[in-house]
Amino acid sequence: MNIRALTIVGAGQMGSGIAQTAAQSGISVMLYDSDPEAGKRGLASIGHQLSRSVDKGRMTKDEMERTLALVRLSAKLEDARPSDMVIEAAPEDRAIKRSIFRELDRICLPQTILATNTSSLPITDLAAATHRPERVIGMHFMNPVPVMPLVEIIRGLATSSDVLASVRALAQAMGKTAVEVRDFPGFVSNRILMPMINEAVYTVYEGVASPEAVDQVMRLGMNHPMGPLALADFIGLDTCLAIMETLHEGFGDSKYRPCPLLRQYVRGGWLGRKTGRGFYVYE
Ligand code: CAA
């Protein structure tokens, strides 16, 4: 199936990044968010990123306007009906995602592919909330979506080969490299990345080093573009905690236990960049 009409569910950091990247590839996108204000913020952030590209001479003003014209906002999930494919980018919460999948299954045409941008939840479990498990797939983008070249593609137990082929082709059309992995907690990206971030939090919790020192070690010593704690703030500490909990529950192994300091920050509303405070303070 050639994906021409795409719906993105959720206009947060990931959803708006996916919408921007799709529109820049000439794909018509409906960006849905149940909260119209969140939708407007998502669209404004796309506009902001595109105008930075114009300032840097990577895009003309005309191209920017053509790209923006490809993104429509909606606060009604019913508007997803004519889409060839929907990519869900809602918060990392099993109950929320399952309820969105149930609704999408009811609303969308039978052939519509339902993809999730989940960073760790089992695809098979979300697929089981629908009557079309063969048309459900994981399409996991990395943040910031317009910049990062990877898309992890995850087949659920029942995902069909033609759905896999359509999603691979879409990833390629969006300029991404698709890597297929199996449906186990955290897939590959977060099974490796999150325990590293969690361990970085433990080194702060145990007083081994300050956040600045931990990040400096990893940037200067391992050539990581961002230290793990700056990256955790960038991803969102609530998302990091949710992923650690999924790994812990999914494997039943204590090596994945979330650091108590991570839990405390999330309880305190220190969620990283998006709330202005995490391991660092943001103006
Ligand atoms: N949206 C779009 N473009 C962005 C951006 C954003 N939010 N942030 C930065 N960019 C672009 C800039 O415009 C710039 O483009 P040009 O070089 O073409 O001008 C480029 O990225 C580099 O940006 P900067 O010069 O401002 O800053 P930088 O060199 O420090 O790079 C970074 C920023 C790309 C974010 C880099 O620090 C990086 O790669 N960090 C690690 C990101 C990472 O690991 N992401 C994966 C997170 S895990 C995940 O997403 C999965 C999950 O499930 C949790």
Side-chain angles (χ1 to χ4, degrees):
M1 181 195 271
N2 192 3
I3 310 294
R4 285 198 215 88
L6 185 64
T7 291
I8 311 295
V9 172
Q13 211 173 190
M14 295 305 288
S16 55
I18 299 168
Q20 177 188 331
T21 310
Q24 280 181 267
S25 317
I27 298 162
S28 159
V29 189
M30 192 190 83
L31 181 59
Y32 160 86
D33 201 295
S34 55
D35 172 4
E37 290 308 312
K40 283 186 203 151
R41 281 196 300 275
L43 192 59
S45 94
I46 297 174
H48 174 74
Q49 290 298 338
L50 294 179
S51 60
R52 277 183 54 175
S53 293
V54 173
D55 293 344
K56 287 179 179 169
R58 275 180 310 193
M59 182 182 259
T60 64
K61 230 173 171 289
D62 251 22
E63 283 167 339
M64 168 174 146
E65 267 144 33
R66 273 203 303 275
T67 303
L68 276 175
L70 286 172
V71 185
R72 276 179 309 121
L73 277 185
S74 169
K76 278 201 313 202
L77 199 56
E78 279 68 19
D79 291 341
R81 182 166 171 77
S83 311
D84 298 318
M85 177 167 162
V86 179
I87 304 176
E88 166 276 318
E92 199 62 9
D93 177 301
R94 175 174 182 260
I96 295 176
K97 287 192 190 280
R98 277 182 66 94
S99 111
I100 291 171
F101 269 77
R102 260 193 303 274
E103 278 297 281
L104 287 172
D105 188 38
R106 182 182 62 77
I107 291 166
C108 293
L109 298 171
Q111 68 271 25
T112 303
I113 297 173
L114 304 181
T116 172
N117 180 54
T118 181
S119 35
S120 63
L121 295 169
I123 307 309
T124 304
D125 181 50
L126 297 176
T130 73
H131 296 100
R132 62 178 89 193
E134 71 291 347
R135 304 200 73 70
V136 175
I137 194 162
M139 192 176 189
H140 181 212
F141 291 85
M142 305 294 130
N143 191 13
V145 179
V147 180
M148 306 303 279
L150 175 72
V151 175
E152 247 180 340
I153 294 188
I154 312 103
R155 264 172 111 148
L157 207 53
T159 312
S160 74
S161 298
D162 52 303
V163 165
L164 177 73
S166 302
V167 171
R168 270 189 175 281
L170 175 66
Q172 195 179 13
M174 289 171 76
K176 304 295 181 196
T177 299
V179 177
E180 192 191 338
V181 308
R182 290 182 61 202
D183 189 18
F184 282 92
F187 317 127
V188 168
S189 55
N190 281 318
R191 183 165 175 178
I192 296 174
L193 176 67
M194 279 306 151
M196 182 191 71
I197 287 178
N198 196 45
E199 204 55 36
V201 182
Y202 265 110
T203 58
V204 173
Y205 177 62
E206 291 169 2
V208 176
S210 66
E212 290 81 0
V214 171
D215 279 353
Q216 242 183 341
V217 166
M218 298 306 285
R219 274 192 294 107
L220 305 183
M222 282 75 188
N223 247 355
H224 288 195
M226 275 172 148
L229 299 169
L231 182 57
D233 276 358
F234 180 62
I235 292 167
L237 301 189
D238 50 343
T239 302
C240 294
L241 178 60
I243 296 170
M244 282 312 294
E245 279 171 338
T246 301
L247 290 172
H248 195 205
E249 193 197 315
F251 291 114
D253 188 329
S254 65
K255 76 178 177 184
Y256 298 113
R257 78 240 172 274
C259 179
L261 187 63
L262 180 60
R263 271 191 205 291
Q264 190 185 41
Y265 278 18
V266 171
R267 278 205 192 106
W270 293 11
L271 306 184
R273 280 199 196 195
K274 62 185 165 191
T275 57
R277 176 146 208 181
F279 289 98
Y280 299 93
V281 177
Y282 303 88
E283 300 303 321

